[in-house]
Each structure stands twice: as structure tokens, then as C-alpha cells.
Amino acid sequence: MSRTIRIKDVAEHAGVSVTTVSHVLNDVPGKRINAETRARVKASAAALGYVPNRVARSLRTRRSQVLALISDEIATTPFAGLMILGAQEAASKRGWLLMLVNTGLDPAYEAREIQALLQRQVDGFLYATMYHREVELPDELAGLPVILLDAVSRDPSIPSVVPDEVGGGRTAVEVLLASGHRRIAFLNNRDDIPASRGRLEGYRAALEAAGVGYHQSLVTYDASDSAGGYRAAAAVLDGTARPTALFCFNDRMALGAYQAAAERGLRIPHDLSVVGFDNQEIIADGLRPGLTTVALPHYEMGAWAVDTLIGSIDDNPQNDDRAQVVLPCPLVTRASVTAPGQTPG
Amino acid sequence: MSRTIRIKDVAEHAGVSVTTVSHVLNDVPGKRINAETRARVKASAAALGYVPNRVARSLRTRRSQVLALISDEIATTPFAGLMILGAQEAASKRGWLLMLVNTGLDPAYEAREIQALLQRQVDGFLYATMYHREVELPDELAGLPVILLDAVSRDPSIPSVVPDEVGGGRTAVEVLLASGHRRIAFLNNRDDIPASRGRLEGYRAALEAAGVGYHQSLVTYDASDSAGGYRAAAAVLDGTARPTALFCFNDRMALGAYQAAAERGLRIPHDLSVVGFDNQEIIADGLRPGLTTVALPHYEMGAWAVDTLIGSIDDNPQNDDRAQVVLPCPLVTRASVTAPGQTPG
DNA sequence: CTGAAAGCGCTTACAG
DNA sequence: CTGAAAGCGCTTACAG
């Protein structure tokens, strides 16, 4: 283990002061430094293998250049990865680092974790939930730089980014309408959450815009998993006026709907078109035929949150960017949608 | 913003020296401090809302109490969450924090990220891959405290933790054998990776231990996704001597196998038993019937790696714990296995 | 049992 | 264009 090289060592090696070394290595603006000196300092730093000690710098500047991502349940959804990845890459691009903390929905534990983060002089916080939820910001975070990620607060002054559920619902139904479907069932999630409310609103809006009547009997509510989708699809498929297409609250429900359709000898997409939501590759790509679905902008939300958060920390403490932002949910076309058959049930 | 409280403020408030404050707040062992003084210091710290500055402490002690988790592709598998969660919770339990970094399999980028971590004085590294792989430790990490997570090095001196693929394969086949199956096909992954080699070895070992002959014709190789499973299952199911049970390399292949079985009018488990691998809830729980499968110990590997890494950092620099460790893959029983039918094909 | 003081490795007014 | 020096908030020999 070679002993660690300090800025002082570089200064001595280059025959300049530590001030000068600091200035050139940090490219401090407004400091006019002789080109030859500058080159010499850089050469010395390289020769000695100098690695700046950022914790010393942090102590002095009171800035750590690290962000904390606090999430309720990192592991419960496969989406976590994309959101974290978006945040991490955005941070990395700007030379920031990301700490990760999981609260497990326990407020006392959460408070302790935030305390630990604060002790490390973390500069800002991403408060994330693993599905679009309404949350209250924990007291410990009040007044600090924070952005809600895939979550929204009732307090509109707290910046947040969430998916455009309404737009996504519209998109899903529009692709079905465009293929000629008129009897489109919506297999909704029975939980009263932003996603179920928003997607239903999008469903209605799309129908209305196309001049297609809205029928309550075509909307069912069940658990947002495969079993729920199976039950909901069975109910709607066995009803009196069978729909020609299904818009499923999410891909897991679509998985169940595929099973219900198969049991009834209905072939997708010829006998029944299906659109999902979430774009969970493992399902949407794994199903036969591939599931046309609406993607959630997890990567984009993570990246947006970090960019905005760093911006508000770097630029001005009170940034005007702070707002409740909504990101679009794009359609991912696979093979589960086609025109309705000649002889609808 | 109230101005920040330093240890000096606590000392003045309590009427003692900063040395004493530091000693009582850190419970420095071997320091006998008057109980009354101790109480007074604690009361002052609480009254002032003192929050120790860990970066100052880090600068002084050269220890950050933060670990870095470097992974190749955080977002590519749904497992990432559990491994990260295991690592994060283990770290948190000991008062450590976790930084997260993604390399995207780009060595130049990886080198830069490691550099950034080093500048922050990170104490140790978890080098993780998102599926069990053989890796070479990047040069930048050589000589530093590091543990390979779900990855193994050819260099046995580099500690690592991976799943027991062989044991998992055995377990999967044993449950089938115990139900009375003798013609068990193995739908293997065609990639030459530790998982495919290990699970095949487990398959053979289980057959041999049961006195059941190994037939090459019952082992197929295909892509490790749903389409691959579909093709592999179709091939084996349409063959001359149809198996009564399928052991699938992973749950995604099992998903494809379910589809192939359904198309052939084969009911699971009555006409065909199926065992998967990975325990991807979204598939294993979403399928009808639920898929009996073998779980990968992602949470446990993450926690083990952190515990061991912190242990080796805290205790002795050169710990004897360093070894290549293998963790068991437990069976998760659902509903896809039963005794073979009276009239096997 | 308690304290004065050095020092961790930086940045940054300030001076020249 | 360059440098001497203070100070960020801690910990820790060392002394008493």
C-alpha cells in the first residue's frame, strides 16, 4: 500500500502552492493561470497518481455531491430497476453519486435512515414509491431539497414526477378504436389509486372522443394480478354482450386474461384483441402472441427527477422548476391487437 | 434555516470540552466518564438538536462507513431488487450506507465510476452481476476490500457468493422423482454459463441417486426465454417417448412450456408436471396452475456479502472468511407437480 | 476523570 | 498570475 498522495504532494512535486494546484485541478473559473504552470501541475498529478479526497472537499464546501434515493419497497416490483437506473445514470453524468435506502414502509425506520443520510451531508433526496402513489412527505425531509418520484403529494409545492395515467389509458383505447373495435372492456384494478382512476378517465375520454358510448357493464374491477385478470376476463367474456377487445389495467391482469381466453377457445388477436399496461417485458414479451401494451416511463422519471433536483441545488436554492410533472406513457406495439372478426359474439 | 450545531456548541452548552462530548456521544470504550457528565452532555446534544457531521469524522478517521454496490446491469432482471435490498438492509443494520453504481458493461465507464467512488473514500465494494456469471475483477479494485456478488472469479482468493446451482437442480428433479416421475425432460439454457452447467449436473445427480437412467434425448437446449421454452417443450412433447415431467431451466422457459402444453391439450399437472427455476413471482404466481419452482437466494446473497465485507473491514484487514461461498436454492411449492397419469404417453 | 491541541485534506477569501 | 493561511467539524494521542 503506497501512502496516499495529497494535494500538498502534488504542489511540492510541481513546485507551486496548493492554491494553484487546487485552482488548476478544479478548473476554477476566473483564475488566469499560466499555461505552462497548468501543464506542469497536471503532469505532476498524473505522475503521482493523485486522487482528490472528496470528503475533505465536502467538509470544506459543505456539499457532498451525493443524492439519496429513499424508496418504500425497492424489491416489490421489477420496475424499481429502471427507475433507479435512470436516476443513477443521470447522477453519474453530472459527477454525482447515489445512495440507496429502503424504508420498508416503517416510519420510525425511515426517520433513522434519513438521519443517517443527513449526517453524511447528502445534498438532496429522491423520495420514491414503487408504484404511483399519493404520499405525505416525512417531516424529516421538510425544507430540504427533495423530489417525489412516482409519487405525488397533496401539497402542490412539493415537486414530483409521475406517469401520465390518463394519457396512457387514452393511448391504449385509441389503438383499439383505430383497429375498428367498438365494444372494448376495461379490466380495471379495484384499488382506489391514481393509476386506476387515471386509466379509467383515459378510457372514457378515448371512447367519448370517438363517439363510442360508455357502458358501465364493460368495466370490471378486480385484483391487479393474474388471478384478478382471469376472473375479470371470465366475467366479461361470459357476459351477454361479449366485447371484441380488452384493455387490461396492467400486464399481469392481461396474463390472466390470456388464460381465460384460451380456456374459452378464443384466439388472440383474431377472436379477441388485448392491450395491457406497464410493459413488463417478462410478461409482454413472454406471452404468445406478444402483448401490445403501454409503457411506464420509469427510466425517464428517475432521470428527470435527478436532473431537476441537481438543477435546483446547483442553480438557485428556490427554483421555479419545482412543480408536479407528468411524463407520457408510450405505446409498445406487439401482436395482440387486430381488427375485430366478421362475426362478433 | 437555523445555523448548524457543531460539537463545540454542545461542549459549551454542557460546560465540558469537545473531547468529552466526542467520548460520550461515541461511547468510546475504555473511557470512564462521570455518569452525571455523561447525562449532561447527552441532554445538551438533544436540546440543541445536534447532528454529528460524519464527513468530518470520515476525514479524520479515514473511514466512511459506506459501501459501494457496482453492478453490470441493474435494470435487466427483476432480481436486482432483492439482491440490492439484502445488501441495503444488512448495511443499514450496522449503520452503514450503500452507494449504487451501474456500469452498463462498459469498462471505461466502470473505471471512471470506481474512481468517483474512491474519491468519496468508500470503504468496500460489492461487485455484482445480475445473473450468475464468471467475471474478472477490474484492475481498479485489485487489493481493495471487495466481494463478488452472484459472480465468481477464476482467482479463488477473491471472495464471492453465488447460488448453489447444482443443489437447486437436484432439488427440482427430486421433487419430481418423489412424485413418481421417471421420464423427466430438462429444458436447459443453451448458453454455457454456470447456471446451465450446474443445473444439468444437479439433474444428472438426482437421476443417478434415484437409479433412473440418464437419456440425452430428454435434455434440450434453447434460448432461456419464453420462446425458447416453447420451442424446447414442443420438441420434447412431440417426440417419440413423451416425458411425464419437465424441469425448466428457468420460469420464463416454463412460461413457454405452459403454452406449448396448452396447445397440445395437455393439462398441468395431470398430464404433465412442470418445475421451474428462479421463483419469479410474476410468472410463478401468475401462471395457472401456480408454478412449483426453485428460488434463487438473492436477498441472502446480498446480505451475506455485506455482512462479510463489513466484517473483513472492521475486524482484521486480511480475514480468513474470504472464500468462494455457495448459498442454497430452496424449493417453492405451488401446484404444477403431481403424480404421473395412469396412461403415460 | 477531563481537556488543550494537532491534524485529517481540502477550498477560498485575501494579499501582493 | 501565484501563495500563505484560516478553517470546515471532527477524533485522538498525550498530558495531567
Side-chain angles (χ1 to χ4, degrees):
Chain A
M1 278 281 158
S2 58
R3 75 177 246 31
T4 131
I5 310 288
R6 294 137 29 257
I7 199 172
K8 195 178 167 214
D9 301 311
V10 178
E12 281 167 6
H13 188 277
V16 296
S17 72
V18 296
T19 306
T20 300
V21 175
S22 176
H23 286 162
V24 352
L25 260 25
N26 291 317
D27 272 322
V28 178
K31 296 287 171 186
R32 305 191 50 75
I33 291 169
N34 187 302
E36 192 271 329
T37 307
R38 185 178 294 272
R40 195 146 36 90
V41 168
K42 286 190 173 166
S44 294
L48 298 175
Y50 172 65
V51 176
N53 181 330
R54 302 287 245 106
V55 355
R57 174 200 251 252
S58 291
L59 178 58
R60 183 56 231 252
T61 62
R62 299 151 169 289
R63 294 285 295 283
S64 61
Q65 302 229 106
V66 358
L67 257 26
L69 173 49
I70 303 176
S71 98
D72 53 350
E73 281 287 3
I74 291 175
T76 40
T77 93
F79 300 139
L82 274 177
M83 210 150 77
I84 293 171
L85 184 64
Q88 200 277 311
E89 294 196 342
S92 161
K93 240 169 238 164
R94 295 159 171 270
W96 287 57
L97 249 21
L98 198 65
M99 298 256 203
L100 201 69
V101 139
N102 194 64
T103 69
L105 296 169
D106 174 348
Y109 185 79
E110 176 175 271
R112 255 176 289 133
E113 292 293 293
I114 293 175
Q115 199 65 8
L117 261 2
L118 253 16
Q119 294 187 3
R120 257 79 168 206
Q121 310 295 115
V122 163
D123 289 331
F125 297 84
L126 266 21
Y127 192 77
T129 53
M130 283 310 140
Y131 66 92
H132 183 174
R133 289 207 300 138
E134 282 148 337
V135 298
E136 264 194 78
L137 193 70
D139 292 342
E140 293 82 12
L141 254 25
L144 300 173
V146 59
I147 290 190
L148 266 29
L149 186 43
D150 204 13
V152 68
S153 167
R154 214 154 339 154
D155 176 352
S157 75
I158 298 174
S160 61
V161 56
V162 297
D164 180 5
E165 309 284 3
V166 180
R170 267 191 90 116
T171 300
V173 177
E174 280 166 1
V175 66
L176 258 8
L177 289 165
S179 288
H181 293 275
R182 290 299 173 268
R183 292 195 57 77
I184 302 170
F186 179 29
L187 276 37
N188 200 359
N189 176 3
R190 67 182 165 207
D191 299 327
D192 182 30
I193 55 174
S196 47
R197 289 196 299 267
R199 293 172 199 176
L200 176 60
E201 188 183 329
Y203 168 81
R204 298 191 65 154
L207 291 183
E208 188 170 344
V212 174
Y214 168 80
H215 298 288
Q216 265 201 42
S217 62
L218 283 173
V219 180
T220 68
Y221 298 85
D222 211 310
S224 64
D225 58 14
S226 166
Y230 177 84
R231 284 189 302 263
V236 99
L237 257 18
D238 294 342
T240 50
R242 170 179 289 178
T244 62
L246 263 29
F247 167 35
C248 302
F249 172 78
N250 64 12
D251 294 348
R252 296 165 74 203
M253 290 187 79
L255 169 57
Y258 266 56
Q259 294 161 349
E263 286 186 10
R264 282 158 185 75
L266 262 23
R267 304 198 58 108
I268 298 169
H270 307 293
D271 305 323
L272 183 72
S273 288
V274 180
V275 176
F277 211 112
D278 284 1
N279 193 33
Q280 293 211 21
E281 307 277 350
I282 212 170
I283 293 178
D285 245 9
L287 253 14
R288 296 177 70 86
L291 177 66
T292 292
T293 189
V294 176
L296 254 10
H298 281 105
Y299 183 93
E300 292 75 11
M301 293 194 297
W304 184 92
V306 163
D307 285 340
T308 306
L309 186 54
I310 293 180
S312 81
I313 294 168
D314 273 350
D315 304 345
N316 24 19
Q318 289 306 17
N319 205 324
D320 273 358
D321 289 354
R322 42 180 57 225
Q324 300 186 321
V325 164
V326 138
L327 256 31
C329 299
L331 183 76
V332 179
T333 302
R334 291 196 180 83
S336 60
V337 174
T338 191
Q342 319 297 88
T343 54
Chain B
M1 277 284 160
S2 56
R3 73 178 245 33
T4 131
I5 310 287
R6 297 143 18 262
I7 198 172
K8 196 178 166 213
D9 301 311
V10 178
E12 282 168 5
H13 188 277
V16 297
S17 72
V18 297
T19 306
T20 300
V21 174
S22 176
H23 285 161
V24 351
L25 260 25
N26 291 317
D27 273 322
V28 178
K31 296 287 171 184
R32 305 191 51 76
I33 291 169
N34 187 302
E36 192 271 331
T37 307
R38 186 179 292 273
R40 196 147 35 90
V41 168
K42 285 190 174 166
S44 294
L48 297 176
Y50 173 64
V51 176
N53 182 330
R54 302 286 244 109
V55 354
R57 174 200 251 250
S58 290
L59 177 58
R60 183 55 231 251
T61 61
R62 300 153 169 287
R63 294 284 294 284
S64 61
Q65 302 230 108
V66 355
L67 257 28
L69 173 50
I70 302 176
S71 99
D72 53 350
E73 282 287 1
I74 290 176
T76 40
T77 93
F79 301 139
L82 274 177
M83 211 150 76
I84 293 172
L85 184 65
Q88 200 276 312
E89 294 196 342
S92 161
K93 239 171 238 161
R94 295 159 170 269
W96 288 57
L97 249 21
L98 197 66
M99 297 255 203
L100 201 70
V101 139
N102 194 65
T103 69
L105 297 168
D106 174 348
Y109 184 79
E110 176 175 272
R112 255 176 289 133
E113 293 292 295
I114 293 174
Q115 199 66 6
L117 260 4
L118 253 15
Q119 295 187 3
R120 257 79 169 208
Q121 311 294 117
V122 163
D123 290 331
F125 297 84
L126 267 21
Y127 192 77
T129 52
M130 282 311 141
Y131 66 91
H132 184 173
R133 289 206 300 139
E134 281 147 338
V135 298
E136 264 194 79
L137 193 68
D139 291 342
E140 294 82 11
L141 254 25
L144 300 174
V146 60
I147 290 189
L148 267 27
L149 185 44
D150 204 12
V152 69
S153 167
R154 215 157 332 159
D155 175 353
S157 76
I158 298 174
S160 60
V161 57
V162 297
D164 180 4
E165 308 285 2
V166 180
R170 267 190 91 116
T171 300
V173 177
E174 280 166 2
V175 66
L176 257 9
L177 289 165
S179 289
H181 293 276
R182 288 299 173 268
R183 293 196 56 77
I184 301 170
F186 179 29
L187 277 36
N188 200 358
N189 177 3
R190 66 181 166 208
D191 299 327
D192 182 30
I193 55 174
S196 47
R197 290 197 298 269
R199 293 172 199 177
L200 176 61
E201 187 183 330
Y203 168 82
R204 297 191 65 152
L207 291 182
E208 186 169 346
V212 175
Y214 168 80
H215 299 287
Q216 265 200 46
S217 62
L218 284 173
V219 179
T220 68
Y221 298 84
D222 211 311
S224 65
D225 58 13
S226 165
Y230 177 84
R231 285 189 301 263
V236 101
L237 258 17
D238 295 340
T240 48
R242 169 179 290 176
T244 62
L246 263 31
F247 167 35
C248 301
F249 172 78
N250 64 13
D251 294 349
R252 295 166 74 203
M253 291 186 80
L255 169 57
Y258 266 54
Q259 293 161 350
E263 286 184 9
R264 282 157 184 77
L266 262 24
R267 304 197 58 107
I268 297 169
H270 307 293
D271 304 324
L272 183 71
S273 287
V274 180
V275 176
F277 212 112
D278 284 1
N279 192 34
Q280 293 211 21
E281 306 276 352
I282 211 169
I283 293 179
D285 245 10
L287 252 16
R288 297 177 69 87
L291 178 66
T292 292
T293 188
V294 176
L296 253 11
H298 282 104
Y299 183 93
E300 292 75 12
M301 292 194 297
W304 184 92
V306 163
D307 285 340
T308 307
L309 185 54
I310 292 181
S312 81
I313 294 169
D314 273 349
D315 304 347
N316 22 19
Q318 289 306 19
N319 203 327
D320 272 359
D321 288 354
R322 42 179 59 227
Q324 299 185 321
V325 164
V326 139
L327 256 30
C329 299
L331 183 75
V332 178
T333 302
R334 291 196 181 82
S336 60
V337 175
T338 192
Q342 320 296 91
T343 53

